[in-house]
Amino acid sequence: MLLPRLTDARKELRRTQIAEAAVRCFSRNGLERTSIADITAESGLSTGSIYAHYRNKADLVQAAAREVLDKRAEAIGQYAAADVPPDPDELLSRLIAAIDPAEARVGVQTWSEATTDPAVRDIVVDMTDRMRAMVHECVTAWLVKVEHDEPARAGERATPIAHRVMALYQAELLYTAMQTPTEGTAS
């Protein structure tokens, strides 16, 4: 009996389901202590299904990081496209308000792994650079649309502002990760 092939949309849904299960496992158990078997159990899928979508755990770490970044990217893109983009303080407030404690724990664990694992480091550097670029774009839009700066000047002025917004956002991620107990842990 032949099994029906998954459509591209269904494949993407399955990948998202697996990545979300990985985030929950990584948050609860840590990156190092989470196995593919844990992710299989959490997702409700077969091991074969996991490996049909991801080569290994490093792929899942990358997918989990991208899943989180994609959520932020969508919101930041909407902010930048608004008639009145948020000022840097408001942008930071909105980013902080959107922090999910489980995602914060995974983010901090990923940063830690990046200090010893070059593949994870590449993921972290790429994701951080992409997020900083999106914040820069939003700050630039605010400077042009609200502060009426020339685009070139706005881009220059936005660089240190975006850097500070990112630094404060990452500090809040760390704070959230440290303040929020994992499931099954006494508070």
Side-chain angles (χ1 to χ4, degrees):
M1 177 173 113
L2 291 173
L3 294 175
R5 293 190 52 87
L6 289 175
T7 64
D8 287 343
R10 188 77 178 137
K11 284 180 189 176
E12 193 54 40
L13 244 150
R14 198 50 66 80
R15 287 180 62 82
T16 299
Q17 178 183 359
I18 295 165
E20 289 172 350
V23 167
R24 290 190 300 273
C25 289
F26 294 151
S27 174
R28 207 174 32 243
N29 306 330
L31 294 176
E32 187 66 33
R33 291 186 307 275
T34 295
S35 67
I36 294 295
D38 295 328
I39 297 166
T40 298
E42 183 76 23
S43 69
L45 301 171
S46 70
T47 302
S49 183
I50 303 289
Y51 282 114
H53 296 281
Y54 297 99
R55 291 185 317 254
N56 51 37
K57 194 163 74 170
D59 259 7
L60 277 164
V61 170
Q62 187 171 21
R66 282 210 167 89
E67 188 75 23
V68 173
L69 183 66
D70 286 347
K71 290 178 190 175
R72 297 291 108 32
E74 184 178 332
I76 294 170
Q78 290 172 355
Y79 302 155
D83 289 337
V84 181
D87 65 49
D89 288 335
E90 178 62 22
L91 175 60
L92 179 60
S93 293
R94 290 179 186 185
L95 290 171
I96 291 169
I99 292 174
D100 174 85
E103 292 172 357
R105 285 190 297 275
V106 174
V108 170
Q109 291 171 42
T110 305
W111 297 342
S112 174
E113 285 291 313
T115 64
T116 58
D117 184 332
V120 175
R121 182 187 181 287
D122 290 346
I123 294 165
V124 169
V125 168
D126 178 55
M127 294 296 127
T128 302
D129 288 349
R130 288 178 56 207
M131 177 105 177
R132 183 174 284 119
M134 289 183 285
V135 169
H136 184 273
E137 179 183 332
C138 190
V139 172
T140 300
W142 171 74
L143 287 168
V144 169
K145 293 178 181 179
V146 177
E147 297 292 309
H148 308 293
D149 271 0
E150 293 297 320
R153 177 167 155 62
E156 288 175 21
R157 283 187 61 206
T159 299
I161 297 169
H163 181 80
R164 286 191 301 274
V165 168
M166 278 297 296
L168 292 169
Y169 174 67
Q170 289 172 319
E172 284 293 332
L173 281 171
L174 177 59
Y175 180 78
T176 299
M178 299 303 293
Q179 296 300 312
T180 309
T182 58
E183 292 176 28
T185 304
S187 29

